[in-house]
Amino acid sequence: GYADVVHKVHKTNQLDDTFIDIREDVYLYKDTEQEEIIYKEHSIHWFQFCWILLKRLSNKMEEKNVVKFKKDEFAMKEFIKTSLGRGRISKVKIEYTPVGEKIIISTHKTGLIIGRGGERIDELTRTLKTKFKLENPHVEIDEIRKPEFDAQLVADRIALELEKWGNLKFKTIAYKELTRIMAAGALGTEIRLSGKLPSERAKNWRFAAGYLKKVGDSAKVVNKAKAIAITNLGVSGIKVSILSPDAKIHDKVEITEEIKNQIKKEITEE
């Protein structure tokens, strides 16, 4: 509290000089009897200095709480992905409501995630209560209708294939996924692999097809994801970018039959 801060500041000022060093700022007493302090080249009252110090300490505590909250939330998402199976979950979203915590799991294999009679969901709910101290978690499933256009599922699938078949078949795996995505109707796809593929020397490999936005606001509609594969030669990185046919591209020009007929009419009139 206030008395503790005043005591700590007085305790710090037991040296011959009247300097107090707190983090990146240096505070200097002007005269302890007059209760005035030089703070950033300005003379302020002792109580005003304590108020500034308390404000700084409270801001630091808020920053620590936010970092801890985000760290726990990330650990919870990683635990859900690993416990339900790698390559089955695209993303985990957590919403905090007055009733409790709503956890939305996006997956294309709803039957494996829910389990027989919802037993896997019930087990996950009990684990979240005990391990992460959640009061009332509620798990919901968001089914992915077209898993070929989900970059995270594709990246995880490539990682599993690399771990299963090894680094020598990385081209076969990449081209197989590329062909499957484009056959499903994607406008463009890019797969980047990095690591010791296929030899001891690390390299970067790029596999691409179709049309893909790279920069600007239009690039935000591209679905991107990353994954890693732990093989015998080391860790390999995977990046996947997919432009689905449902994506709205602002600079896309569609020539309909009506426009074609109008152009033909103008040409004939000339």
Side-chain angles (χ1 to χ4, degrees):
Y2 175 79
D4 295 334
V5 174
V6 173
H7 175 69
K8 288 180 181 179
V9 173
H10 274 292
K11 188 177 180 181
T12 312
N13 192 32
Q14 297 298 323
L15 303 175
D16 295 335
D17 297 331
T18 55
F19 286 96
I20 300 175
D21 186 10
I22 301 177
R23 296 292 175 103
E24 65 272 9
D25 294 333
V26 177
Y27 308 94
L28 169 65
Y29 280 94
K30 181 180 179 182
D31 190 348
T32 54
E33 296 180 357
Q34 297 181 4
E35 297 183 348
E36 289 185 351
I37 303 171
I38 299 297
Y39 172 72
K40 293 184 178 181
E41 300 181 357
H42 295 282
S43 177
I44 61 175
H45 194 268
W46 163 254
F47 293 104
Q48 188 177 0
F49 166 75
C50 291
W51 181 84
I52 295 173
L53 181 59
L54 286 172
K55 191 71 174 177
R56 285 174 52 86
L57 292 176
S58 63
N59 292 337
K60 294 296 182 182
M61 290 300 296
E62 290 178 2
E63 292 177 4
K64 289 181 180 180
N65 292 334
V66 171
V67 172
K68 185 179 182 302
F69 174 76
K70 290 297 182 181
K71 184 178 178 181
D72 295 341
E73 191 178 74
F74 177 78
M76 189 191 309
K77 292 180 180 180
E78 291 298 316
F79 172 77
I80 294 172
K81 289 182 179 180
T82 53
S83 61
L84 295 179
R86 187 181 175 191
R88 300 176 180 176
I89 297 175
S90 172
K91 59 183 178 181
V92 179
K93 185 179 179 181
I94 302 175
E95 296 180 357
Y96 299 93
T97 62
V99 181
E101 300 84 6
K102 184 166 68 173
I103 301 168
I104 304 172
I105 301 174
S106 301
T107 179
H108 67 297
K109 296 183 178 181
T110 56
L112 294 175
I113 300 301
I114 296 173
R116 182 178 297 177
E119 56 182 6
R120 297 199 68 180
I121 294 297
D122 296 338
E123 183 183 355
L124 177 63
T125 303
R126 291 192 298 268
T127 306
L128 292 175
K129 282 184 179 180
T130 56
K131 187 171 183 178
F132 295 98
K133 309 299 180 183
L134 298 182
E135 296 181 0
N136 186 24
H138 179 67
V139 180
E140 294 183 0
I141 302 298
D142 180 23
E143 185 179 1
I144 300 174
R145 300 290 182 179
K146 299 179 180 179
E148 295 84 6
F149 301 146
D150 193 287
Q152 188 62 57
L153 293 176
V154 175
D156 290 338
R157 187 161 50 245
I158 294 174
L160 292 174
E161 292 290 326
L162 287 175
E163 293 177 356
K164 181 179 180 180
W165 301 106
N167 297 348
L168 296 178
K169 294 187 177 181
F170 73 97
K171 288 185 178 181
T172 304
I173 296 170
Y175 278 119
K176 179 182 176 181
E177 291 294 332
L178 189 68
T179 305
R180 191 172 66 86
I181 295 170
M182 295 303 297
L187 298 179
T189 309
E190 183 185 58
I191 299 174
R192 288 183 176 271
L193 304 179
S194 61
K196 296 180 179 179
L197 302 169
S199 60
E200 291 287 343
R201 186 175 180 180
K203 294 182 180 179
N204 294 326
W205 299 85
R206 179 178 177 269
F207 308 89
Y211 172 76
L212 199 66
K213 283 286 186 179
K214 291 288 187 179
V215 296
D217 291 336
S218 301
K220 296 179 181 179
V221 300
V222 179
N223 191 3
K224 300 179 181 180
K226 299 178 182 179
I228 59 172
I230 303 175
T231 60
N232 295 329
L233 295 178
V235 179
S236 299
I238 303 160
K239 291 183 180 180
V240 178
S241 302
I242 300 175
L243 182 60
S244 66
D246 301 330
K248 294 182 180 179
I249 304 175
H250 301 289
D251 58 350
K252 183 179 179 180
V253 179
E254 295 183 1
I255 302 176
T256 61
E257 291 295 331
E258 184 179 356
I259 297 175
K260 291 181 180 179
N261 295 332
Q262 185 177 356
I263 294 173
K264 290 180 181 178
K265 185 179 179 181
E266 292 178 357
I267 293 174
T268 52
E269 290 177 356
E270 291 178 358

